[in-house]
């Protein structure tokens, strides 16, 4: 979805973000059960798609279609296991036809708090009915909380959801926070377009105009952000791990304090199941939708000036330059498709240098001395050539010795 998604998935229409948060019992059911997560996500998509399509029918729009891109997040600002869904919806519906080159967008009416209250009631009822029907959630009033012989993952999962330590000397205790209690707690008032019912929370106040593509990209990046931001992580002189919040909590808390073992517990609980999709496309954005090409904008034509590096005539540093022709930045070439070819030319893939620049803000093609553009001369893969180059530069030619693996320290586990 980002960074390419903002230009190849969403058209130039208003986009609204809907966020669904779940109570602890449902988080437990969805934490490592992909089918449960998939079922809750399907309920959310159907409820919101029905809301948009029903609104279109009441205004006389026939055959209206909606679409969304849903991202599953497994964490919160305190590194607790918090399964919730970020879904980006075009704030309206589309009408598509085979003979129309582009779909017609119909903006939705103004959403109210009453709409969100009705939606959260519907989602809560359907989610609980689905989980009870599939046996993934027992009745909330008669649930047996005393699970016999829980596994290690069950122990870590339950502790991560509640924000407690699972192992070690602090097992069962809540994570301490810096600044907790420094502010007087006031009555909590929810903002606009936010509804809560028995732990099910639905938020829809964030809306991006169709012309604001930069803000849409930031919204996509926020939905796909990693669990830990390295800049917020620090170590105290006593060996504790501090993780700063993005903004202070209502009670004044600014950091959560974790033991190194507790941090490893959280990381183990936050890792999703392998080979499971956390970002999915639905409705008009689904890959199998027959008229997807009328909604999704076509890929832009490659810019030949951007694809070919121009030599720097004022090169003032000693890094090597080649007198040969400029090397294309894209492996797909720059030749244009024949004029009689109906299918548009596919967009070139991002190179590894472009990905490094967009992800880590490091441009490896820029010389740090003269700020000129470096050029790709060759890929060296032969071992003998690599060894000679490393010896000439005075660098080691053998990889460092890896320490042998060791078993983890033996701890008195509560279920042993």
């Amino acid at each position: 979805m980002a960074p390419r998604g903002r230009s190849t998935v969403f058209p130039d229409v208003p986009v609204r973000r809907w966020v669904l948060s779940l109570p602890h019992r449902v988080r437990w059911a969805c934490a490592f059960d992909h089918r449960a997560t998939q079922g809750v996500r399907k309920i959310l998509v159907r409820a919101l798609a029905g809301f948009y399509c029903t609104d279109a029918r009441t205004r006389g729009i026939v055959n209206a279609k909606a679409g969304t891109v849903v991202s599953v997040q497994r964490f919160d600002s305190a590194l607790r296991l918090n399964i919730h869904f970020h879904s980006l919806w075009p704030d309206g519906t589309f009408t598509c036809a085979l003979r129309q080159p582009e779909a017609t967008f119909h903006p939705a009416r103004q959403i109210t708090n009453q709409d969100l209250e009705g939606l959260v009631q519907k989602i809560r009822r359907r989610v609980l009915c689905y989980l009870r029907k599939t046996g993934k959630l027992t009745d909330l009033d008669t649930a047996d909380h005393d699970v016999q012989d829980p596994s290690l993952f069950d122990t870590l999962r339950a502790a991560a959801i509640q924000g407690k330590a699972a192992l070690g000397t602090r097992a069962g205790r809540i994570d301490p926070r810096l600044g907790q209690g420094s502010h007087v707690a006031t009555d909590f008032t929810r903002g606009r377009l936010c509804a809560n019912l028995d732990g099910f929370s639905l938020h829809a106040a964030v809306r991006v105009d169709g012309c604001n593509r930069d803000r849409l990209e930031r919204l996509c990046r926020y939905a796909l952000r990693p669990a830990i931001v390295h800049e917020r992580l620090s170590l105290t002189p006593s060996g504790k791990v501090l993780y700063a919040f993005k903004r202070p909590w209502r009670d004044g808390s600014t950091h959560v304090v974790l033991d190194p073992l507790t941090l490893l517990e959280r990381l183990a609980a936050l890792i999703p199941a392998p080979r499971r999709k956390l970002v999915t496309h639905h409705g008009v954005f689904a890959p199998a939708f027959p008229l997807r090409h009328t909604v999704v904008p076509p890929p832009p034509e490659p810019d030949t000036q951007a694809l070919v590096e121009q030599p720097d005539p004022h090169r003032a540093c000693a890094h090597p330059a080649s007198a040969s022709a400029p090397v294309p930045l894209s492996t797909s070439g720059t030749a244009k498709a024949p004029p009689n070819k109906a299918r548009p030319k596919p967009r070139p893939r991002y190179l590894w240098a472009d990905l490094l620049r967009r992800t880590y803000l490091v441009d490896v093609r820029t010389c740090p001395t003269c700020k000129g553009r470096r050029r790709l001369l060759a890929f060296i893969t032969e071992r003998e050539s690599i060894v000679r180059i490393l010896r000439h530069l005075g660098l080691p030619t053998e990889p460092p010795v890896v320490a042998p693996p060791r078993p983890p320290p033996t701890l008195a586990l509560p279920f042993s």
Side-chain angles (χ1 to χ4, degrees):
M1 183 167 55
R4 293 185 59 190
R6 73 185 186 105
S7 59
T8 59
V9 175
F10 289 102
D12 293 335
V13 297
V15 175
R16 186 179 297 274
R17 184 187 68 179
W18 297 75
V19 181
L20 175 65
S21 301
L22 307 172
H24 286 185
R25 292 282 296 172
V26 182
R27 295 177 196 175
W28 168 275
C30 298
F32 289 96
D33 193 331
H34 179 68
R35 290 190 175 182
T37 305
Q38 189 177 21
V40 175
R41 179 173 54 198
K42 186 181 298 184
I43 292 172
L44 171 66
V45 171
R46 288 184 175 180
L48 296 181
F51 169 77
Y52 277 113
C53 293
T54 302
D55 171 68
R57 285 194 299 268
T58 57
R59 293 184 287 124
I61 302 174
V62 184
N63 296 329
K65 304 292 183 181
T68 181
V69 179
V70 184
S71 173
V72 182
Q73 283 193 0
R74 300 176 53 86
F75 55 89
D76 60 8
S77 58
L79 298 183
R80 295 175 298 190
L81 180 58
N82 183 3
I83 305 294
H84 59 288
F85 301 87
H86 287 249
S87 58
L88 301 181
W89 292 78
D91 201 19
T93 54
F94 297 90
T95 52
C96 313
L98 288 175
R99 297 183 179 181
Q100 294 180 359
E102 294 183 359
T104 303
F105 178 72
H106 306 277
R109 62 174 174 82
Q110 185 67 31
I111 299 177
T112 62
N113 290 333
Q114 290 74 17
D115 296 330
L116 267 75
E117 293 175 359
L119 285 171
V120 76
Q121 291 178 5
K122 181 184 299 184
I123 292 173
R124 174 189 176 276
R125 182 178 66 254
R126 293 180 179 179
V127 168
L128 295 181
C129 180
Y130 164 75
L131 294 178
R132 289 167 179 164
K133 183 178 180 179
T134 55
K136 303 180 186 301
L137 183 69
T138 56
D139 191 88
L140 296 179
D141 298 330
T142 61
D144 184 11
H145 297 279
D146 297 330
V147 181
Q148 299 295 329
D149 297 330
S151 64
L152 176 59
F153 262 122
D154 290 336
T155 304
L156 298 180
R157 179 173 55 180
I161 291 176
Q162 303 175 71
K164 298 180 179 180
L167 308 174
T169 58
R170 296 193 67 259
R173 297 182 183 179
I174 298 179
D175 301 330
R177 301 194 299 267
L178 295 182
Q180 184 177 8
S182 59
H183 290 180
V184 179
T186 58
D187 294 337
F188 177 66
T189 57
R190 295 193 173 273
R192 179 178 170 272
L193 297 183
C194 184
N196 190 358
L197 179 63
D198 297 337
F200 289 85
S201 177
L202 189 63
H203 186 272
V206 178
R207 185 178 184 271
V208 179
D209 295 333
C211 59
N212 197 343
R213 306 299 289 181
D214 293 334
R215 188 184 177 197
L216 178 59
E217 180 176 357
R218 292 195 299 268
L219 192 62
C220 295
R221 291 180 181 273
Y222 180 80
L224 300 177
R225 70 189 189 278
I228 295 181
V229 180
H230 292 174
E231 290 76 8
R232 302 183 195 169
L233 201 64
S234 59
L235 193 65
T236 64
S238 61
K240 301 290 185 179
V241 178
L242 290 181
Y243 189 72
F245 303 149
K246 184 177 180 180
R247 59 179 60 89
W249 287 8
R250 287 181 297 150
D251 61 353
S253 301
T254 58
H255 297 72
V256 63
V257 184
L258 302 173
D259 293 330
L261 179 60
T262 307
L263 178 61
L264 295 180
E265 296 172 5
R266 297 298 167 81
L267 295 179
L270 294 179
I271 296 175
R275 296 177 295 277
R276 302 301 183 186
K277 293 183 178 180
L278 298 182
V279 179
T280 53
H281 299 67
H282 305 268
V284 296
F285 297 141
F289 184 65
L291 300 178
R292 186 177 187 270
H293 63 280
T294 64
V295 178
V296 176
E301 290 293 334
D303 187 2
T304 57
Q305 297 296 328
L307 290 177
V308 180
E309 290 191 2
Q310 301 296 333
D312 187 2
H314 304 289
R315 188 180 304 275
C317 87
H319 63 261
S322 174
S324 60
V327 181
L329 295 182
S330 175
T331 56
S332 61
T334 59
K336 293 186 178 180
N340 58 351
K341 195 169 184 179
R343 183 172 298 180
K345 183 179 179 179
R347 182 179 181 178
R349 293 181 179 272
Y350 282 114
L351 294 181
W352 61 272
D354 296 329
L355 294 177
L356 286 175
R357 179 174 55 85
R358 296 181 68 92
T359 305
Y360 299 106
L361 301 180
V362 175
D363 191 359
V364 297
R365 294 191 299 245
T366 301
C367 176
T369 304
C370 67
K371 306 304 179 182
R373 297 293 291 177
R374 290 171 171 169
R375 297 172 55 193
L376 178 63
L377 298 180
F379 287 99
I380 302 176
T381 59
E382 297 181 357
R383 178 179 175 84
E384 293 77 9
S385 300
I386 297 175
V387 170
R388 287 198 301 268
I389 294 175
L390 292 176
R391 286 177 180 173
H392 175 74
L393 297 176
L395 299 176
T397 59
E398 296 294 334
V401 179
V402 180
R406 63 172 180 82
T410 303
L411 300 175
L413 302 179
F415 49 82
S416 60

